[in-house]
Amino acid sequence: GAVVSQHPSWVICKSGTSVKIECRSLDFQATTMFWYRQFPKQSLMLMATSNEGSKATYEQGVEKDKFLINHASLTLSTLTVTSAHPEDSSFYICSAKGPYEQYFGPGTRLTVT
Amino acid sequence: TQLLEQSPQFLSIQEGENLTVYCNSSSVFSSLQWYRQEPGEGPVLLVTVVTGGEVKKLKRLTFQFGDARKDSSLHITAAQPGDTGLYLCAGTYDSWGKLQFGAGTQVVVTP
């Protein structure tokens, strides 16, 4: 099946710094990618839809200036958490829309100290 | 956002028992997916149901989509410890393919 990778798989950063997470579709082109956030013992919550070559659309309550999304190519979308705070600590998961289904990445564990 | 209610939140059963997880909504979905997620990993797709009344079987797992395409169920027969995980239902509700996830059901199967 199609493969989506995320990098890094985990990251620890200090409060106030920025962190970039990459999401790549390895064997197919994805014009649309999605970013989700998952807190412990909770489900996935959609943060934003990333479309190649255009601005991302954010779900209600998600700050677009804090979570910067760039979909620079058909195989790469990046999420940058700016001025991270401890409450941003979470599991971030991306998915890429393939020809038949959404393919999920393995997730990135972000811990802000 | 269209709400998907998933129940129960937690299920603990012994190996060999059967279990059913339910996913309900007041809204119609164009399709509904079931995923299983292991700790620290992304969700893995188990099945997609599209047609109202559809029943799909995947070995010991049986998935049903309601006639009105508002609800679905996952039934596991003779559960095994390897079935342990977080089961998530998710509905597709717009042309972009956005998914609305249910709250998830944590299933624990003990030997």
Side-chain angles (χ1 to χ4, degrees), chain B residues 94-111:
Chain B
D94 75 353
S95 58
W96 289 110
K98 287 185 185 180
L99 292 176
Q100 173 66 43
F101 277 86
T105 297
Q106 181 63 52
V107 172
V108 176
V109 183
T110 54

Side-chain angles (χ1 to χ4, degrees), chain B residues 71-84:
Chain B
D71 57 273
S72 181
S73 64
L74 156 62
H75 183 79
I76 301 180
T77 304
Q80 299 176 359
D83 296 325
T84 294

Side-chain angles (χ1 to χ4, degrees), chain A residues 32 34 36 38 41-44 46 49 51 57 59 91 93 97 100-102 104-107 109, chain B residues 1 35 37 40-45 48 86 88-89 93 95-104:
Chain A
T32 303
F34 302 92
Y36 297 84
Q38 185 177 31
K41 298 191 184 300
Q42 293 188 23
S43 186
L44 281 73
L46 180 65
T49 303
N51 293 295
T57 55
E59 295 300 300
F91 193 50
I93 306 173
K97 187 178 177 184
Y100 306 110
E101 62 183 79
Q102 274 191 43
F104 283 83
R109 171 75 57 194
Chain B
T1 301
Y35 295 85
Q37 186 182 25
E41 299 180 11
V44 175
L45 180 67
T48 298
L86 179 66
L88 297 156
C89 64
Y93 63 91
S95 58
W96 289 110
K98 287 185 185 180
L99 292 176
Q100 173 66 43
F101 277 86

Side-chain angles (χ1 to χ4, degrees), chain A residues 53-99:
Chain A
S54 63
K55 288 184 179 179
T57 55
Y58 292 81
E59 295 300 300
Q60 195 171 7
V62 178
E63 300 174 58
K64 62 179 181 181
D65 294 330
K66 180 168 185 62
F67 298 99
L68 301 179
I69 292 172
N70 184 23
H71 197 148
S73 76
L74 288 172
T75 59
L76 174 64
S77 175
T78 60
L79 168 68
T80 301
V81 183
T82 62
S83 187
H85 288 99
E87 55 266 31
D88 298 323
S89 297
S90 188
F91 193 50
Y92 291 86
I93 306 173
C94 72
S95 70
K97 187 178 177 184

